[in-house]
């Protein structure tokens, strides 16, 4: 309790100094502190810890004594329990494998990074490369800045439960620049890559439906490919070159009054100044971008856009269907399977930094969809990874009512009885209303039934010749 009281006093004192320029007398602060401590102590005495709190403290002690670590699994709401030593070992193995992190020892780089960031943005403003308003948006308040922390999310649906690194840097000195650049550049990418990228499973179903109406046969194959460690493996300078090509291809010499070279300089500054803390040591990321920094997603998408050009052009030439969602690629094609295997090997040589792991067959599990070609009939279902578990929200929570109501509604729609099927004739394709809003976990739109009725099944759609 003493730590919380000290934090309250510090914030109150800081607010008076920052906003009003007042320095509160120590005697007044001490009186307030004593009064607050007495009030909290009285509340504690009147309301002793509940049984639930006792159980929680007991559980916390067991976790600490057994060195157990609890993490929410990657791409799901399931909690994963593991040993702390095992997690550390996997983290070290990942860092050694990627060679993307430089050990800085115990020296905290926060102060120097704050000064470097402010000097850089001030220099741009002084030389009139950015406006006063933009400078105010980018400059760092030293007292509010924190070095990023690296943590890992277990991929429970994959063999041996590998880890995905996430850099938590909401108060990192470069986060404001990263957010601003992402706002400037992401619309360019969305416009340029509109024909080869998808946002969710619902959009993919519609495109598959349209393509199948003309090209589906009993031998049509699916190819799904995954890029290994995309964010980490992109070379930093290669990412900046991708942004340059993105702007040049879009015929943009400046955005929001900021010239292309300044945008590239800012992007390079963000990419090359990712520092974080992990297990008592400080590190600098020297390869790739930080997963958790807004700009990294746009750089990764831009980099992959230019890598995938040969694949996209091949798909057009062969009347195949091609789409990508960040690091997941999807293809439907009537090309022979043996030829497809050779193509995957060739595509793996397009860029030394991009490693594609592929699956070819008559069934595809992609995002939250499972699509199967049964002799010329396509069957689509909502797909759940093996680690998927339902999510429960107490009705007494403070969430809005429409959220509470939509959770059971969406859960019913994602049920999996195979006998509920919607058949769509190939010669007269229609879009199944109940597939609208199928999400891959990043799009939180809830399935919507215009009639207001609950539909008691997950959608299963088939296309017939």
């Amino acid at each position: 309790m003493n730590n919380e009281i000290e934090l309250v006093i510090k914030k109150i004192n800081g607010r008076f100094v920052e906003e009003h320029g007042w320095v509160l007398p120590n005697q007044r602060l001490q009186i307030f502190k004593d009064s607050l401590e007495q009030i909290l102590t009285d509340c504690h005495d009147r309301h002793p810890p509940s049984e639930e709190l006792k159980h929680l403290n007991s559980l916390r002690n067991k976790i600490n004594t057994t060195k157990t670590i609890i993490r929410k699994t990657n791409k799901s709401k399931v909690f994963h329990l593991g040993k702390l030593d095992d997690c550390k070992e996997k983290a070290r193995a990942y860092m050694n494998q990627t060679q993307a992190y430089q050990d800085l020892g115990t020296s905290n780089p926060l102060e120097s990074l704050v000064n470097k960031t402010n000097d850089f943005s001030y220099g741009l403003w002084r030389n009139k490369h950015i406006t006063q308003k933009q400078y105010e948006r980018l400059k760092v308040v030293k007292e509010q800045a924190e070095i990023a922390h690296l943590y890992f999310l277990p991929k429970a649906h994959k063999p041996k439960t590998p880890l995905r690194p996430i850099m938590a840097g909401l108060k990192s000195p470069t986060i404001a620049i990263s957010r601003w650049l992402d706002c400037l550049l992401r619309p360019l990418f969305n416009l340029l890559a509109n024909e080869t990228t998808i946002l969710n499973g619902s959009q993919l179903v519609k495109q598959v439906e349209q393509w199948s109406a003309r090209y589906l046969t009993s031998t049509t194959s699916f190819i799904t490919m995954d890029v290994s460690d995309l964010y980490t493996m992109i070379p930093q300078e290669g990412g900046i070159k991708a942004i340059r090509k993105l702007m040049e291809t879009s015929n943009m010499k400046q955005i929001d009054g900021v010239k292309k070279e300044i945008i590239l300089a800012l992007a390079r500054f963000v990419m090359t100044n990712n520092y974080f803390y992990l297990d008592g040591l400080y590190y600098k990321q020297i390869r790739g971008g930080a997963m958790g920094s807004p700009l990294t997603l746009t750089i990764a998408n831009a980099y992959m856009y230019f890598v995938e050009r040969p694949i996209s052009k091949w798909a057009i030439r062969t009347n195949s269907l091609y789409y990508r969602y960040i690091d997941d690629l999807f293809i439907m094609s009537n090309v022979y399977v043996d030829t497809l295997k050779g193509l995957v090997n060739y595509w793996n040589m397009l860029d030394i930094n991009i490693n594609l792991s592929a699956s070819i067959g008559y069934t595809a599990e992609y995002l939250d969809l499972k699509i199967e070609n049964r002799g010329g009939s396509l069957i689509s279902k909502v797909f759940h990874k093996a680690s998927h578990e339902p999510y429960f929200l107490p009705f007494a929570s403070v969430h809005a009512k429409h959220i509470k109501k939509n959770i059971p509604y969406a859960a019913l729609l994602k049920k999996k009885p195979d006998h509920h099927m919607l058949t769509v004739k190939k010669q007269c394709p229609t879009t199944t209303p109940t597939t609208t809003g199928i999400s891959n976990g990043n799009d939180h739109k809830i399935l919507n039934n215009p009639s207001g009725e609950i539909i008691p099944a997950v959608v299963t759609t088939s296309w017939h010749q």
Side-chain angles (χ1 to χ4, degrees):
M1 183 171 67
N2 290 333
N3 292 335
E4 284 77 5
I5 292 176
E6 291 293 341
L7 183 61
V8 169
I9 297 297
K10 183 178 179 181
K11 288 185 176 180
I12 292 175
N13 201 24
R15 181 64 60 87
F16 272 94
V17 172
E18 291 174 8
E19 295 188 1
H20 306 288
W22 298 345
V23 178
L24 296 178
N26 291 333
Q27 185 178 1
R28 291 281 184 89
L29 282 174
Q30 189 60 45
I31 294 174
F32 174 77
K33 178 181 176 181
D34 293 341
S35 301
L36 180 60
E37 184 175 357
Q38 184 61 48
I39 292 172
L40 293 176
T41 302
D42 292 342
C43 289
H44 181 272
D45 293 339
R46 287 199 304 269
H47 305 283
S50 63
E51 288 298 319
E52 290 81 2
L53 182 58
K54 292 179 181 179
H55 290 315
L56 184 62
N57 290 332
S58 176
L59 180 61
R60 185 181 290 114
N61 291 332
K62 289 180 180 179
I63 291 174
N64 291 335
T65 54
T66 58
K67 294 185 177 180
T68 300
I69 187 168
I70 302 178
R71 288 286 184 270
K72 191 171 76 169
T73 54
N74 184 54
K75 297 182 180 179
S76 78
K77 296 182 175 69
V78 182
F79 282 99
H80 178 269
L81 275 71
K83 290 295 183 181
L84 180 60
D85 293 340
D86 181 53
C87 183
K88 288 183 178 180
E89 184 178 343
K90 288 182 178 180
R92 285 193 294 267
Y94 178 86
M95 297 174 80
N96 291 332
Q97 174 191 339
T98 59
Q99 293 293 304
Y101 308 101
Q102 178 185 355
D103 188 346
L104 302 179
T106 57
S107 178
N108 190 342
L110 178 60
E111 185 174 355
S112 62
L113 181 58
V114 169
N115 294 334
K116 184 197 288 188
T117 305
N118 282 336
D119 291 344
F120 182 66
S121 56
Y122 176 76
L124 294 177
W125 169 75
R126 186 183 58 191
N127 292 299
K128 299 182 179 180
H129 294 308
I130 60 176
T131 64
Q132 173 73 26
K133 184 177 180 180
Q134 291 165 343
Y135 167 65
E136 294 293 336
R137 181 177 182 176
L138 302 182
K139 72 177 183 179
V140 184
V141 179
K142 184 176 180 180
E143 291 74 21
Q144 298 177 359
E146 294 179 6
I147 206 71
H149 286 70
L150 189 73
Y151 66 96
F152 294 88
L153 294 180
K155 301 180 183 180
H157 60 284
K158 292 190 176 182
K160 298 183 179 180
T161 316
L163 303 177
R164 178 184 292 275
I166 305 293
M167 191 177 295
L170 293 178
K171 295 184 179 181
S172 170
T174 61
I175 191 66
I177 302 178
S178 180
R179 285 175 179 152
W180 183 51
L181 290 179
D182 184 57
C183 291
L184 296 181
L185 296 169
R186 187 174 296 195
L188 288 187
F189 169 78
N190 291 341
L191 184 62
L192 184 64
N194 180 56
E195 295 185 356
T196 57
T197 57
I198 55 170
L199 300 177
N200 51 49
S202 175
Q203 185 181 359
L204 181 63
V205 165
K206 294 176 184 178
Q207 299 303 323
V208 167
E209 182 184 57
Q210 293 174 11
W211 184 89
S212 299
R214 296 183 60 187
Y215 301 111
L216 178 66
T217 71
S218 60
T219 58
T220 299
S221 300
F222 301 99
I223 311 174
T224 56
M225 294 182 284
D226 176 70
V227 182
S228 301
D229 300 318
L230 174 61
Y231 288 7
T232 308
M233 300 312 294
I234 291 177
Q236 292 179 342
E237 196 57 37
I240 304 305
K241 290 179 180 178
I243 295 299
R244 179 188 292 275
K245 291 176 68 176
L246 175 66
M247 295 188 67
E248 291 174 351
T249 306
S250 304
N251 295 317
M252 300 293 291
K253 295 183 179 180
Q254 64 178 25
I255 307 176
D256 197 22
V258 183
K259 294 181 180 179
K260 177 178 65 179
E261 295 304 324
I262 302 304
I263 291 176
L264 295 176
L266 285 162
R268 184 178 289 107
F269 185 86
V270 172
M271 286 287 284
T272 57
N273 285 282
N274 285 319
Y275 296 85
F276 62 88
Y277 174 86
L278 175 67
D279 197 24
L281 297 174
Y282 295 93
Y283 295 85
K284 179 181 181 181
Q285 185 162 352
I286 56 177
R287 181 175 184 174
M291 184 176 290
S293 176
L295 179 63
T296 303
L297 174 59
T298 299
I299 288 180
N301 267 327
Y303 190 89
M304 276 302 301
Y305 175 79
F306 295 107
V307 170
E308 73 183 355
R309 289 301 86 210
I311 306 176
S312 176
K313 292 177 181 178
W314 167 85
I316 294 173
R317 289 197 308 270
T318 59
N319 292 322
S320 300
L321 181 70
Y322 171 75
Y323 281 99
R324 176 175 63 86
Y325 178 81
I326 308 178
D327 58 351
D328 294 314
L329 289 66
F330 176 89
I331 296 174
M332 283 183 72
S333 179
N334 291 318
V335 175
Y336 292 120
V337 172
D338 290 341
T339 303
L340 293 176
K341 291 178 180 178
L343 283 168
V344 170
N345 292 333
Y346 169 70
W347 293 333
N348 256 315
M349 295 186 291
L350 292 175
D351 190 300
I352 192 174
N353 303 292
I354 301 300
N355 179 36
L356 300 170
S357 56
S359 174
I360 304 175
Y362 296 118
T363 301
E365 295 172 351
Y366 186 79
L367 301 183
D368 58 356
L369 289 176
K370 182 176 182 179
I371 309 178
E372 181 180 355
N373 181 2
R374 295 183 185 174
S377 298
L378 282 184
I379 309 299
S380 68
K381 303 177 183 178
V382 173
F383 169 67
H384 296 303
K385 290 184 171 65
S387 61
H388 173 81
E389 290 290 341
Y391 175 60
F392 298 97
L393 178 70
F395 202 81
S397 74
V398 296
H399 288 76
K401 283 187 178 181
H402 71 276
I403 295 177
K404 298 175 185 177
K405 291 179 179 179
N406 273 329
I407 287 177
Y409 173 65
L412 285 171
L413 287 183
K414 290 202 171 187
K415 204 79 176 157
K416 286 179 53 177
D418 290 339
H419 60 276
H420 289 278
M421 299 180 64
L422 286 171
T423 302
V424 182
K425 299 294 184 182
K426 179 184 172 186
Q427 60 267 30
C428 186
T430 59
T431 302
T432 306
T434 46
T435 59
T436 303
I438 291 177
S439 168
N440 67 340
N442 295 316
D443 183 357
H444 298 288
K445 293 182 180 178
I446 300 298
L447 299 173
N448 185 29
N449 176 19
S451 67
E453 298 177 359
I454 292 179
I455 303 173
V458 70
V459 173
T460 307
T461 309
S462 65
W463 292 269
H464 293 282
Q465 284 185 293

